[in-house]
Amino acid sequence: MPLATGVYPPKAGHSPQEFTRRRRATHHPFFALMLRATKDRLATRHLPPDTEPMTDGNQNIALFGGSFDPPHLGHLDIAREAVERCSLDRVIFIPCHRSPHKLDHEPAPAEHRIEMLRLCTAGEPWAEISPTEIERGGPSYSWETAEHITALYPQASLYWILGEDQWSKIETWSRPERLQELLTFMVFPRNGQTPQEKAGFRLRDLNLVHPAAATDIRARLRSGAHDDCSLL
């Protein structure tokens, strides 16, 4: 399925274009580890049949943005906690084109990060992936993404999943007043800090701490720890 679709589940058909994209993605240094970790994780789980994206209705939908460079078990566990805590119908993972908070970091190619997200979320019926920020290009601003998803699902209640480190400076994000209108924020602790209420923002606390961090995983792989996939 081409990236031009607005939102799609991680189980896409294997068209010739899809096969070529997947083949390119296998050259990413994290891909072999991600593939092995996913096979190990799914070996003991019963996978539900592939399903089509749900219709709009009065759904609870969480948006989970980030570089996902690479995606890891921390992302997945946080999303699962959000699904259970707030009775979410779906979580849409949104890999950014370029984070405005990480302009000094050049992320892996978009098709590699999307492919790793497919592997990471395999077998999760509530998980979808949206290429909207990648297709938009430039710095990825959350208010633009929230408006886009609102247009796709006008009857849904929208949430945004993020860590306390970003929540603590949410007022500095582009157009915070628009974020207040469109979103409820689901915030997980970071660096031992728990989220505090902020005037004008709606907050749901996700009391889950996971040791995985993409920065640490990249550092471990650069140091030669190519066999450690415990956090992927």
Side-chain angles (χ1 to χ4, degrees):
M1 187 178 295
L3 296 185
T5 54
V7 176
Y8 52 81
K11 292 80 67 174
H14 292 273
S15 66
Q17 295 86 355
E18 177 78 359
F19 177 80
T20 301
R21 185 185 55 74
R22 286 169 177 254
R23 186 176 179 183
R24 286 200 308 268
T26 60
H27 295 296
H28 190 277
F30 301 129
F31 186 87
L33 279 177
M34 180 67 70
L35 180 60
R36 177 152 54 91
T38 302
K39 286 181 176 179
D40 291 344
R41 176 167 55 84
L42 297 181
T44 57
R45 296 181 54 202
H46 171 70
L47 297 186
D50 287 359
T51 56
E52 293 298 320
M54 294 178 288
T55 56
D56 182 12
N58 296 316
Q59 294 185 56
N60 294 321
I61 300 176
L63 314 182
F64 199 167
S67 299
F68 300 111
D69 188 22
H72 50 68
L73 286 180
H75 296 130
L76 198 58
D77 285 350
I78 289 165
R80 286 194 187 113
E81 175 72 9
V83 168
E84 295 176 5
R85 181 73 62 87
C86 294
S87 301
L88 298 177
D89 296 289
R90 67 176 85 183
V91 176
I92 303 176
F93 292 82
I94 307 174
C96 66
H97 178 264
R98 192 72 177 271
S99 170
H101 310 293
K102 300 179 182 178
L103 294 178
D104 58 341
H105 170 65
E106 183 68 34
E111 64 267 26
H112 298 174
R113 292 182 285 130
I114 285 179
E115 186 63 23
M116 288 188 287
L117 270 172
R118 287 179 185 273
L119 289 171
C120 188
T121 59
E124 303 293 353
W126 43 262
E128 299 182 5
I129 303 167
S130 170
T132 181
E133 293 190 352
I134 288 170
E135 292 175 343
R136 194 163 61 231
S140 300
Y141 292 111
S142 300
W143 69 267
E144 293 180 303
T145 302
E147 286 190 340
H148 173 73
I149 301 298
T150 297
L152 291 177
Y153 306 107
Q155 301 303 316
S157 297
L158 292 187
Y159 298 80
W160 191 283
I161 300 173
L162 76 166
E164 193 282 334
D165 53 337
Q166 292 300 323
W167 170 253
S168 66
K169 51 188 176 184
I170 191 71
E171 302 94 335
T172 69
W173 286 23
S174 179
R175 296 195 63 185
E177 74 287 347
R178 191 65 174 132
L179 299 175
Q180 292 173 340
E181 295 173 14
L182 297 175
L183 300 166
T184 296
F185 289 87
M186 308 178 75
V187 186
F188 56 91
R190 287 296 296 268
N191 304 317
Q193 301 297 314
T194 56
Q196 304 298 316
E197 296 280 353
K198 289 180 176 290
F201 291 88
R202 296 184 295 275
L203 168 67
R204 294 292 298 271
D205 187 2
L206 293 178
N207 188 23
L208 175 70
V209 179
H210 195 284
T215 302
D216 294 339
I217 292 172
R218 291 195 300 270
R220 289 164 68 175
L221 290 175
R222 281 195 297 268
S223 70
H226 296 145
D227 293 330
D228 185 1
C229 61
S230 60
L231 297 179
L232 293 174

